[in-house]
Amino acid sequence: LPAPPADLTGEGASLSSACSIDAVRVLVVDDNSANREVARLLLEAAGAEVTEASTGEAALEQLSAQPVDVVLMDLRMPGLSGAGTLKRLRADDGPNSGIPVLAFTADAEREGERELAAFDGLVRKPIDPTQLMNAVGSAASFEPNLPIAVLRGPERA
């Protein structure tokens, strides 16, 4: 179909280019296989290396053995929740105990600040590709002194 050329000088272009995720190792944790697949396809298309886990327990097992740069963690999973998984990860002294973990949820407003406070950022469902890339890119270059609002993006600041 004929289409006008894209304007790559806008705000979205500068944010995306500022947050490269090429070769960033991401673990996507979600009990819904469709959510994992969509996140994996988007992240891999941008150059990230993606592994998956369908439960909190499986995520902890992978994280104890394999270093990653960022975790995308569903909050509501059967068994061990995302918050419970994060708490156990932080209490461990394994290779990933201090890595950035992004909350991955469709219910951010219902979760509330208390539930999300332990996470290093937020990716909302349904996935907005630009928000996903920017959140993962920001988290991959995570600096402990950055305020959480920087990682969550302007809609959460």
Side-chain angles (χ1 to χ4, degrees):
L1 296 173
D7 176 14
L8 299 179
T9 61
E11 181 181 327
S14 64
L15 287 173
S16 295
S17 63
C19 298
S20 172
I21 64 168
D22 192 40
V24 172
R25 299 166 299 182
V26 181
L27 173 61
V28 178
V29 185
D30 198 309
D31 60 313
N32 184 308
S33 62
N35 289 337
R36 288 193 316 271
E37 182 177 5
V38 169
R40 179 181 51 79
L41 291 171
L42 289 169
L43 292 166
E44 285 178 346
E49 299 171 15
V50 180
T51 54
E52 300 176 28
S54 61
T55 66
E57 291 289 345
L60 290 170
E61 188 175 312
Q62 287 185 36
L63 290 166
S64 70
Q66 174 183 352
V68 298
D69 299 309
V70 179
V71 176
L72 191 59
M73 179 80 67
D74 183 24
L75 293 183
R76 302 214 179 269
M77 295 183 287
L80 189 59
S81 70
T85 303
L86 177 60
K87 185 176 181 179
R88 286 184 43 191
L89 174 66
R90 296 291 189 236
D92 187 23
D93 61 353
N96 293 304
S97 63
I99 61 162
V101 179
L102 304 174
F104 187 38
T105 183
D107 298 323
E109 286 73 27
R110 286 190 356 204
E111 301 298 338
E113 287 297 317
R114 190 170 142 243
E115 181 77 15
L116 297 172
F119 289 88
D120 300 303
L122 171 67
V123 175
R124 296 173 187 274
K125 298 177 196 173
I127 299 172
D128 174 291
T130 302
Q131 188 221 3
L132 174 64
M133 301 313 159
N134 287 332
V136 170
S138 293
S141 60
F142 179 70
E143 296 177 32
N145 294 327
L146 283 179
I148 193 71
V150 171
L151 297 178
R152 288 196 177 152
E155 73 279 351
R156 299 288 296 170

